[in-house]
Amino acid sequence: MSLKPLIGHVEARHRIAQAVGSGKLPQVILVAGPEGVGKQRLALWTAQLLLCEAAGAEPCGVCRSCHLVLGLSHADLHWIVPIPRPKAAEPDKQVEEAAESIAEVLEERRKSPLYTPPDGMSSHGMATARLIARRAALKPVEGRRKVFILGEAERLVVQESSQEAANALLKLFEEPPPETYFLLTAADPGRLLPTIRSRAVPLRVGRLRDAEVRSFLAAQLDPAPAGAALDRLVARAGGSIGAALSESDAGQAARSAAASWLEAVVSGTGPAAEKALAQAPWAARGEFTDLLDAVSETLGDAARAAVGAESVRPVPGALVGREPARLMDAIARVSEAREAAQGNVNPQLLLAVLAGDLAEVL
Ligand SMILES: [Zn+2]
């Protein structure tokens, strides 16, 4: 699997390509912009351009270097991602552990390039700072240049106890070795250490256009969203592919919960059904209303399928062949519950009452 294509940021790409072409690309750049708009992807594109064997305004995409970058296996591309804190006590062991953790994350991204951000506990700690310093001291393996991408640079944690490692990193940013580039990305540059911010040349990127988000999602998501589902995803994305991806994950989880809940409802009042109803997964009120929305959408899909219309998503087996009028009646009941859910009601209780209602009308 290789990287998904970079979308948008035409102006930024143009500026970067011009600077690379004239040999004036700053060696330390901070790519700043909203979450999920492709800052790290733009940094990877820049790395590809810097390492490409052909000289052009775009990476050629066909040379050996381009292939290696797109497969995240170029030896002179160091994509540094936030990781959990190493467990080892000894500094050298910590650096090894950090290298392994980063390699694991990259392996995941190779397998599924549409990744979501690392958990809140992951960071760039001192072991990572040491790892960067070590790798920066080595000669390029493949070609003449080396590129480091420090994603989510605001997660760089400097501890008083490891001032030495922090200083080594700051020195690198201040006087980078020849033909070595550091591309930092941050959604919130204000949270970056001032000593680092002052050493990087800022490059601001904005939100993507709706049309760009739309074409990306339609081409890259599997299954591909279409029609109203795609419209909704684009609207909620607000110019951020990352937002659309987490939206579509949450949406998928809610739909699969809705499908099993509906199966349980129509299968009657046996112990299996009761268990399924009791286990309806929600942790927050938002998830509960998402579940109700997904139940409503699933019933809508079933109603459309029942009148012979094309359905966007597969209909759960338990709902196939139900009468359209009954399905519409069920949707009305869910809407009432959805309204009640805005108030201060017990979700468990509301869901139990709704289950009884739906079992009756279906
Ligand atoms: Zn190339």
Side-chain angles (χ1 to χ4, degrees):
M1 188 74 83
S2 74
L3 290 174
K4 298 291 185 192
L6 168 63
I7 194 136
H9 308 309
V10 177
E11 162 89 35
R13 283 195 234 188
H14 184 67
R15 282 171 56 195
I16 292 166
Q18 265 192 334
V20 171
S22 61
K24 288 185 181 136
L25 188 74
Q27 281 180 271
V28 187
I29 298 176
L30 171 61
V31 184
E35 268 170 40
V37 300
K39 295 182 294 299
Q40 293 183 77
R41 186 62 190 82
L42 179 64
L44 288 162
W45 179 91
T46 307
Q48 193 187 344
L49 185 67
L50 282 165
L51 298 169
C52 178
E53 290 154 27
E58 295 266 328
C60 78
V62 293
C63 73
R64 180 182 141 80
S65 263
C66 279
H67 275 292
L68 290 173
V69 170
L70 292 173
L72 293 183
S73 43
H74 197 297
D76 296 321
L77 168 63
H78 306 274
W79 189 5
I80 309 292
V81 296
I83 48 165
R85 200 193 174 106
K87 292 183 187 71
E90 205 254 314
D92 276 341
K93 286 264 182 285
Q94 287 181 353
V95 174
E96 271 170 41
E97 206 180 317
E100 276 163 27
S101 299
I102 290 171
E104 271 168 34
V105 175
L106 294 188
E107 186 52 39
E108 279 301 307
R109 292 189 185 180
R110 233 173 253 131
K111 278 191 216 141
S112 35
L114 295 178
Y115 60 91
T116 44
D119 67 66
M121 292 301 286
S122 295
S123 65
H124 303 293
M126 279 307 111
T128 295
R130 286 198 178 92
L131 180 70
I132 294 173
R134 270 183 209 186
R135 288 187 181 174
L138 301 173
K139 290 228 173 322
V141 178
E142 290 276 342
R144 59 190 204 286
R145 288 173 173 158
K146 261 183 307 191
V147 185
F148 289 80
I149 296 173
L150 187 68
E152 299 177 62
E154 59 274 73
R155 297 204 198 198
L156 188 63
V157 182
V158 177
Q159 291 142 345
E160 286 297 319
S161 57
S162 334
Q163 203 58 45
E164 183 199 336
N167 288 343
L169 196 62
L170 291 176
K171 179 136 187 356
L172 268 182
F173 291 159
E174 199 165 56
E175 284 175 59
E179 299 293 351
T180 304
Y181 294 84
F182 295 95
L183 310 172
L184 284 59
T185 74
D188 188 359
R191 278 176 49 214
L192 225 66
L193 297 171
T195 42
I196 287 180
R197 210 170 51 229
S198 65
R199 284 163 167 85
V201 176
L203 175 74
R204 279 222 60 98
V205 295
R207 294 184 177 277
L208 298 166
R209 292 175 221 278
D210 282 353
E212 290 167 341
V213 173
R214 175 180 296 274
S215 69
F216 183 89
L217 296 176
Q220 303 298 341
L221 285 193
D222 185 21
L230 180 57
D231 291 345
R232 202 166 46 233
L233 213 48
V234 171
R236 290 192 190 172
S240 159
I241 286 173
L245 292 180
S246 57
E247 184 62 47
S248 88
D249 273 1
Q252 235 140 39
R255 265 196 299 280
S256 105
S260 30
W261 186 78
L262 280 164
E263 298 263 0
V265 166
V266 297
S267 72
T269 52
E274 265 173 39
K275 190 161 169 250
L277 291 176
Q279 278 180 347
W282 69 82
R285 192 158 294 268
E287 282 179 42
F288 176 57
T289 51
D290 281 352
L291 175 69
L292 291 179
D293 287 346
V295 166
S296 181
E297 280 171 24
T298 308
L299 290 166
D301 288 342
R304 273 188 294 278
V307 296
E310 201 185 330
S311 156
V312 187
R313 291 173 292 265
V315 174
L319 295 180
V320 172
R322 303 264 156 186
E323 280 176 42
R326 285 170 182 268
L327 289 164
M328 296 313 289
D329 204 2
I331 292 173
R333 303 292 177 103
V334 179
S335 299
E336 285 166 21
R338 178 74 170 76
E339 252 170 58
Q342 305 288 20
N344 189 19
V345 293
N346 177 343
Q348 201 103 31
L349 189 62
L350 189 64
L351 213 50
V353 172
L354 182 62
D357 282 359
L358 294 195
E360 221 167 89
V361 298
L362 287 170

